[in-house]
Structure formats: C-alpha cells, structure tokens
Amino acid sequence: MLLQAVFLLLLHCLASTLGHYELCKSLVSTDEGPVWEQYACQPKTASMKDHMRIKVDPPGITCGNPPERFCTLENPYLCSDECDASNPDLAHPPQLMQDKERTGLLTYWQTVTWRSHPEPLLANISMSWNKSLELSDDILVTFEYGRPTIMVLDKSMDHGRSWHPYQYYADDCMDAFNMQPKLVADLSPANITRVICTEQYSRWVGSKNDKNVKFEVRARFSVFAGPRLQNMDSLYTRMESMKGLRDFFTFTNLRMRLLRPALGGTYVQRDNLLKYFYAISNIEVPARCKCNLHSSQCLLLDGNLQCQCEHNTTGQDCQRCKKSFKAKSWKAGSYLPTPNGHPQLLHTSWFPLRFQ
Ligand SMILES: *[C@@H]1O[C@H](CO)[C@@H](O)[C@H](O)[C@H]1NC(C)=O
Ligand SMILES: *[C@@H]1O[C@H](CO)[C@@H](O)[C@H](O)[C@H]1NC(C)=O
Ligand SMILES: *[C@@H]1O[C@H](CO)[C@@H](O)[C@H](O)[C@H]1NC(C)=O
Ligand SMILES: *[C@@H]1O[C@H](CO)[C@@H](O)[C@H](O)[C@H]1NC(C)=O
C-alpha cells in the first residue's frame, strides 16, 4: 500500500516536471483511492522533412533531360558543369531536397537554366503531409549557388484546397510585390500573425555566405516567450487567448513559388544565361502533429502520420469524440491552466451512450 502511494507520487511528480504537455494523464492517489488525472498533451516536435511528399512544377523544370551545361554566378565563364538526369552522379532530382546530407557530400535538386529569358524562370515546390501540423521552429530552405531574388511561401490548412501566402521574399519588396519591406522584429504582439515581405533573405551576399531562406517561427514565439524562449507558458497562454495565433502556425501543405533566381547582385546578363537557375539542397520543417491537445504521440501508420488519441477522442487530429461518446461535447484541449493544461472534456456529459 505504501509502495503504491510512493509510486503514484512519483508518477505525479514526473508529470509536473515533464511539463509542457508531454503526458495525457497520470494516476494520482486520493482518499477514495487512485484516480486518473487528465492533462492537455501534445506530441514531441520532429523533423517533418522525413515525411513530406514533394512535387515540383512545371513538368520538365528539373535539369538534365536533355543533359545541359551550366555555370555559376561566381565562375560565369567556366560552363563545364553538367546536369544529366540519366547519370546518377550528375542528376539532381527533387528527392535530393529532403535526403540526409552525408558530411562532405552536398546533394541538391537543380532546375534548368534561364535559357527562356526574358520569359520568367518559374518553379513551384509543393510539400504535403496529409496531416495537420504545427510549426515548432524555423522553416529553413538551403539554396546552393545563390538564393532567389523573388519568391513566395504559401501554406494550406485544408490539404491543398485553398492556399494563402505565408511570407513574401524579394530583394526589393516594393518593386516585386508593392509591399513595404518588414522584419519579424518590426512586429508587435498584436500583429505577429501579419503576412510580411522581407528583404532579409534575398539580397546577394555571395552564394556561400548565406544560403538559407527562413520562415521565422522562433522570433515570433520569442515575442511572447522571451528571447531564449524561457517563458513558454506565456506563449501557450497567448495561444489560448489570441484569435488566429495557433492557426497561424498550422498547415497541412506548404508551397514555394520561385519567381526569379539569384542574379549575383546585378542585372540579368543576357549573354550568359547558363548561370541562372535554382538549386536547393535541404528543406527543414520542424513541427509537431496537431492533435488538438489530446495526444502525446504521433505515429507513421501505412505511410500517414496519425495522432494516438487519448481522452476518449479519435480521428487523424483527435478532432472528434469516440463513437460511444456524445459528439457535441468535443472540444480541443486547453494549454490552461499552465503547466499541465486541461482536456476540456466535461465529465458529466461524457457518459458512454449505449446503442441497442
Ligand atoms: C505555381 O502555383 C500557382 C498557384 O497554383 C500557379 O498559379 C502557377 O501557375 C504555378 N506555377 C508553375 C510554374 O507551375
Ligand atoms: C491520408 O490519411 C488518411 C488517414 O490517415 C488516410 O485514410 C488517407 O488514405 C490518406 N490519404 C492519402 C492520399 O495518403
Ligand atoms: C505592427 O505593430 C507595430 C506597433 O503597433 C507597428 O509599429 C508596426 O508597423 C506593425 N507592423 C505591421 C507589419 O503592420
Ligand atoms: C473518458 O471516458 C472515461 C470512461 O467514461 C472517463 O472516466 C474519463 O474521464 C473520460 N476522459 C475524459 C478526458 O473525459
């Protein structure tokens, strides 16, 4: 009996120290004996690039079919590099954007060169997961041979039926999109979900100095949680009270629209179009499954991510009640009260229905 009490106490302490919604429930001892205490819970963050389905458009945008030569902005007169889709050593297919880079060997997707100038060189990269996800850190896209001078990141929350711009990127926001250039640092708590155009990741700094284009999640979180995200409770409290905040970080699909490649800090030089193209070596998407705070685990089942629902809920996102429970009492869990939150399901309305 004493041993059991100690065990229960231990479990309870574990729940409190884990914090941040890692446990959905724990057994606690009461005068009437052990009972389950239920908490809001969410899965751990993961590298979602491993589960992403990737598609590039238009057909034929990937280089190498037929084989073609290209050069680089830094070495424009040595056009001896070759892309050849039929040779594994010289091919640059889309899956190289999501492979694990072995040290010393960079692999990347690469497009055809801008031979069609003055027609724009356009490419879309669509990423889908067939699962609602929530960003937990910055999206990081790594470009080889220079970052695009104009691009848009879009997102969908309904599996690609509708799309919304997420962030605009240009070396001149006014010129490209008729938008004032902004930094996430310019945003206040009240307008943190504003869609901005940034010039931070599009200007020419040499192709090796900065290869990354970011969608800043950390900087947006830190507006509420402090510069080192030391006060996540404050962020989670805002997630509950501020309309649209959680949705802002939620997506099922992402799309990059590449609208103009790197130009090397100058105008397009028509006498050498073989140095203009896009090349991406990595796309990092740190996120967690959205389970409406009713699951602490998200598993890959038959190739699809799926929340392992608790609290008598079910569905891909734990977005409804289990069959034998009254459907109208479903609610998403709440981060409040911190640090363990609440499943938000009212016990009184949770008597199982009996079907005859
Ligand atoms: C990229 O997607 C947008 C939106 O669906 C579409 O209008 C555009 O034509 C696509 N571009 C390419 C190059 O496929
Ligand atoms: C998406 O996921 C759901 C639930 O896991 C599954 O039933 C469905 O077949 C999946 N769709 C595709 C296209 O994989
Ligand atoms: C956000 O709000 C701040 C302060 O209210 C304001 O200075 C800033 O211009 C706003 N940013 C945008 C992008 O609207
Ligand atoms: C789920 O159902 C069980 C059995 O009716 C009940 O004891 C438990 O409290 C319910 N869970 C929640 C989170 O309401």
Side-chain angles (χ1 to χ4, degrees), residues 149-152 165-184 186-187 194-203 216 220:
T149 45
I150 309 180
M151 70 170 253
V152 183
Y166 216 0
Q167 194 147 297
Y168 295 88
Y169 301 84
D171 57 354
D172 186 336
C173 282
M174 225 37 213
D175 184 57
F177 299 113
N178 199 23
M179 291 172 80
Q180 288 286 348
K182 297 272 181 196
L183 298 171
V184 172
D186 298 333
L187 298 175
R194 187 73 53 91
V195 174
I196 59 168
C197 180
T198 177
E199 298 181 348
Q200 204 178 352
Y201 307 104
S202 311
R203 277 166 295 180
E216 305 93 333
R220 285 179 170 91

Coordinates of all heavy atoms in Angstrom, one line a residue, residues 149-152 165-184 186-187 194-203 216 220:
T149 N 15.9 35.8 -56.0 CA 15.7 37.3 -55.7 C 14.2 37.6 -55.5 O 13.8 38.6 -55.0 CB 16.2 38.1 -56.8 OG1 15.8 37.6 -58.1 CG2 17.7 38.2 -56.8
I150 N 13.3 36.7 -56.0 CA 11.9 36.8 -55.7 C 11.3 35.4 -55.4 O 11.5 34.5 -56.2 CB 11.1 37.5 -56.8 CG1 11.7 38.8 -57.3 CG2 9.6 37.7 -56.4 CD1 11.0 39.5 -58.4
M151 N 10.6 35.3 -54.3 CA 9.9 34.0 -54.1 C 8.7 34.2 -53.1 O 8.7 35.3 -52.3 CB 10.8 32.9 -53.6 CG 11.3 33.0 -52.2 SD 12.1 31.5 -51.6 CE 11.0 30.9 -50.5
V152 N 7.8 33.3 -53.1 CA 6.7 33.4 -52.1 C 6.5 32.0 -51.4 O 6.7 31.0 -52.1 CB 5.3 33.7 -52.8 CG1 4.2 33.8 -51.8 CG2 5.4 35.0 -53.6
P165 N -0.8 33.1 -48.9 CA 0.6 33.5 -48.8 C 1.0 33.4 -47.3 O 0.2 33.8 -46.4 CB 0.6 34.9 -49.3 CG -0.7 35.2 -49.9 CD -1.7 34.2 -49.4
Y166 N 2.2 32.9 -47.0 CA 2.7 32.8 -45.7 C 3.8 33.9 -45.5 O 3.8 34.6 -44.4 CB 3.3 31.4 -45.5 CG 3.1 30.8 -44.1 CD1 2.4 31.4 -43.1 CD2 3.7 29.5 -43.9 CE1 2.3 30.8 -41.9 CE2 3.5 28.9 -42.6 CZ 2.8 29.6 -41.6 OH 2.7 29.0 -40.4
Q167 N 4.6 34.1 -46.5 CA 5.6 35.1 -46.4 C 6.1 35.4 -47.8 O 6.2 34.5 -48.6 CB 6.8 34.7 -45.5 CG 7.7 35.9 -45.1 CD 8.3 35.8 -43.7 OE1 7.6 35.8 -42.7 NE2 9.6 35.6 -43.6
Y168 N 6.4 36.7 -48.1 CA 6.9 37.1 -49.4 C 8.4 37.4 -49.2 O 8.8 38.0 -48.1 CB 6.2 38.4 -49.9 CG 4.8 38.2 -50.2 CD1 3.8 38.4 -49.2 CD2 4.4 37.9 -51.5 CE1 2.5 38.2 -49.5 CE2 3.0 37.8 -51.8 CZ 2.1 37.9 -50.8 OH 0.8 37.8 -51.1
Y169 N 9.2 37.1 -50.2 CA 10.7 37.3 -50.1 C 11.1 38.0 -51.4 O 10.8 37.5 -52.5 CB 11.4 36.0 -50.0 CG 11.0 35.1 -48.8 CD1 9.9 34.3 -48.8 CD2 11.8 35.2 -47.7 CE1 9.6 33.5 -47.7 CE2 11.5 34.4 -46.5 CZ 10.4 33.6 -46.6 OH 10.1 32.8 -45.5
A170 N 11.8 39.1 -51.3 CA 12.3 39.7 -52.5 C 13.5 40.6 -52.2 O 13.6 41.1 -51.0 CB 11.2 40.6 -53.2
D171 N 14.4 40.9 -53.1 CA 15.5 41.8 -52.9 C 15.0 43.2 -52.9 O 15.6 44.1 -52.4 CB 16.7 41.6 -53.8 CG 16.3 41.7 -55.3 OD1 15.0 41.8 -55.6 OD2 17.2 41.6 -56.2
D172 N 13.8 43.4 -53.5 CA 13.1 44.7 -53.5 C 11.6 44.5 -53.4 O 10.9 44.2 -54.4 CB 13.4 45.5 -54.8 CG 12.9 46.9 -54.8 OD1 11.9 47.2 -54.0 OD2 13.4 47.7 -55.5
C173 N 11.1 44.5 -52.1 CA 9.7 44.2 -51.9 C 8.7 45.1 -52.6 O 7.7 44.7 -53.1 CB 9.4 44.2 -50.4 SG 10.0 42.8 -49.5
M174 N 9.1 46.4 -52.6 CA 8.2 47.4 -53.3 C 8.1 47.1 -54.8 O 7.0 47.0 -55.3 CB 8.9 48.8 -53.1 CG 8.0 49.9 -52.7 SD 6.7 49.4 -51.5 CE 5.4 50.5 -52.0
D175 N 9.2 46.8 -55.4 CA 9.3 46.5 -56.8 C 8.6 45.2 -57.1 O 7.8 45.1 -58.1 CB 10.7 46.5 -57.2 CG 10.9 46.3 -58.7 OD1 10.3 47.1 -59.5 OD2 11.5 45.3 -59.1
A176 N 8.8 44.2 -56.3 CA 8.3 42.8 -56.7 C 6.8 42.7 -56.3 O 6.0 42.1 -57.0 CB 9.1 41.8 -56.0
F177 N 6.4 43.2 -55.1 CA 5.1 42.9 -54.6 C 4.3 44.2 -54.2 O 3.2 44.0 -53.6 CB 5.2 42.0 -53.4 CG 5.8 40.6 -53.7 CD1 7.0 40.3 -53.2 CD2 5.1 39.7 -54.5 CE1 7.6 39.1 -53.5 CE2 5.7 38.5 -54.8 CZ 6.9 38.2 -54.3
N178 N 4.9 45.3 -54.4 CA 4.3 46.6 -53.9 C 4.0 46.5 -52.4 O 2.9 46.9 -52.0 CB 3.0 46.8 -54.7 CG 2.6 48.3 -54.6 OD1 3.4 49.2 -54.3 ND2 1.3 48.6 -54.8
M179 N 4.9 45.9 -51.7 CA 4.8 45.9 -50.2 C 6.0 46.5 -49.6 O 7.1 46.4 -50.1 CB 4.7 44.4 -49.8 CG 3.5 43.6 -50.2 SD 3.6 41.9 -49.8 CE 3.2 41.8 -48.1
Q180 N 5.7 47.2 -48.4 CA 6.8 47.7 -47.6 C 7.7 46.6 -47.1 O 7.1 45.6 -46.5 CB 6.3 48.5 -46.5 CG 5.7 49.8 -46.8 CD 6.7 50.9 -47.2 OE1 7.9 50.7 -47.0 NE2 6.3 52.0 -47.8
P181 N 9.0 46.6 -47.2 CA 9.8 45.6 -46.6 C 9.7 45.6 -45.0 O 9.7 46.7 -44.4 CB 11.2 45.9 -47.0 CG 11.2 47.3 -47.4 CD 9.8 47.6 -47.9
K182 N 9.6 44.4 -44.4 CA 9.5 44.3 -43.0 C 10.4 43.3 -42.4 O 10.8 42.4 -43.2 CB 8.0 44.0 -42.6 CG 7.0 44.9 -42.9 CD 6.8 46.0 -41.9 CE 5.7 46.9 -42.3 NZ 5.7 48.1 -41.5
L183 N 10.7 43.3 -41.1 CA 11.3 42.3 -40.4 C 10.4 41.7 -39.4 O 9.5 42.4 -39.0 CB 12.6 42.8 -39.7 CG 13.7 43.4 -40.6 CD1 14.7 44.0 -39.7 CD2 14.3 42.3 -41.5
V184 N 10.5 40.5 -39.0 CA 9.7 39.9 -37.9 C 9.9 40.8 -36.7 O 9.0 41.0 -35.9 CB 10.0 38.5 -37.7 CG1 9.3 38.0 -36.4 CG2 9.6 37.6 -38.9
D186 N 10.0 43.9 -36.5 CA 9.1 45.0 -36.6 C 7.7 44.7 -36.1 O 6.9 45.6 -35.9 CB 8.9 45.5 -38.0 CG 10.2 45.9 -38.7 OD1 11.1 46.4 -37.9 OD2 10.3 45.9 -39.9
L187 N 7.4 43.4 -35.9 CA 6.0 43.1 -35.5 C 5.8 43.2 -34.0 O 6.7 42.9 -33.2 CB 5.7 41.6 -36.0 CG 5.8 41.4 -37.5 CD1 5.6 40.0 -37.8 CD2 4.8 42.3 -38.2
R194 N 0.8 38.9 -38.9 CA 0.7 39.6 -40.2 C 1.6 38.9 -41.2 O 2.7 38.4 -40.9 CB 1.2 41.0 -39.9 CG 1.1 42.0 -41.0 CD -0.3 42.5 -41.3 NE -1.0 43.0 -40.1 CZ -1.0 44.3 -39.8 NH1 -0.3 45.2 -40.4 NH2 -1.7 44.7 -38.7
V195 N 1.1 38.8 -42.5 CA 2.0 38.3 -43.6 C 2.8 39.4 -44.1 O 2.3 40.5 -44.5 CB 1.1 37.7 -44.7 CG1 1.9 37.3 -45.9 CG2 0.3 36.5 -44.1
I196 N 4.1 39.2 -44.1 CA 5.1 40.3 -44.4 C 5.9 40.0 -45.7 O 5.9 38.8 -46.1 CB 6.0 40.6 -43.3 CG1 6.9 39.4 -42.9 CG2 5.3 41.2 -42.1 CD1 8.1 39.7 -42.0
C197 N 6.5 41.0 -46.3 CA 7.5 40.8 -47.3 C 8.8 41.2 -46.6 O 9.0 42.2 -46.0 CB 7.2 41.7 -48.5 SG 8.5 41.5 -49.8
T198 N 9.8 40.3 -46.8 CA 11.1 40.6 -46.2 C 12.2 40.6 -47.2 O 12.1 39.8 -48.2 CB 11.5 39.6 -45.0 OG1 12.8 39.8 -44.6 CG2 11.4 38.1 -45.5
E199 N 13.2 41.4 -47.1 CA 14.3 41.5 -48.0 C 15.5 40.8 -47.4 O 16.6 40.8 -48.0 CB 14.6 43.0 -48.3 CG 13.4 43.7 -49.0 CD 13.7 45.1 -49.4 OE1 14.7 45.7 -48.9 OE2 12.9 45.7 -50.2
Q200 N 15.4 40.3 -46.2 CA 16.5 39.8 -45.4 C 17.2 38.5 -46.1 O 18.3 38.3 -45.8 CB 16.0 39.3 -44.1 CG 17.0 39.3 -43.0 CD 16.4 39.0 -41.6 OE1 15.2 38.9 -41.5 NE2 17.3 38.8 -40.7
Y201 N 16.4 37.8 -46.9 CA 17.0 36.5 -47.4 C 17.1 36.5 -48.9 O 17.2 35.4 -49.5 CB 16.1 35.4 -46.9 CG 15.8 35.3 -45.4 CD1 14.6 35.8 -44.9 CD2 16.9 35.0 -44.6 CE1 14.4 35.8 -43.5 CE2 16.7 35.0 -43.2 CZ 15.4 35.4 -42.7 OH 15.2 35.4 -41.3
S202 N 17.0 37.7 -49.5 CA 17.0 37.7 -51.0 C 18.1 38.5 -51.6 O 18.3 38.4 -52.8 CB 15.7 38.2 -51.5 OG 14.6 37.6 -50.8
R203 N 18.8 39.3 -50.8 CA 19.9 40.1 -51.4 C 21.1 39.3 -51.6 O 21.4 38.3 -50.9 CB 20.1 41.3 -50.4 CG 19.1 42.5 -50.7 CD 19.2 43.5 -49.6 NE 18.7 42.9 -48.4 CZ 18.6 43.5 -47.2 NH1 18.9 44.8 -47.1 NH2 18.2 42.9 -46.1
E216 N 10.5 32.6 -40.1 CA 10.9 32.7 -38.7 C 9.7 32.4 -37.8 O 8.7 33.1 -37.6 CB 11.3 34.2 -38.4 CG 12.4 34.7 -39.3 CD 11.9 35.4 -40.5 OE1 10.8 35.1 -41.0 OE2 12.7 36.3 -41.0
R220 N 9.0 34.8 -33.8 CA 7.6 35.1 -33.5 C 7.3 34.5 -32.1 O 6.6 35.2 -31.3 CB 6.7 34.5 -34.6 CG 6.7 35.3 -35.9 CD 5.8 34.7 -36.9 NE 5.6 35.6 -38.1 CZ 6.4 35.5 -39.2 NH1 7.4 34.7 -39.3 NH2 6.2 36.3 -40.2

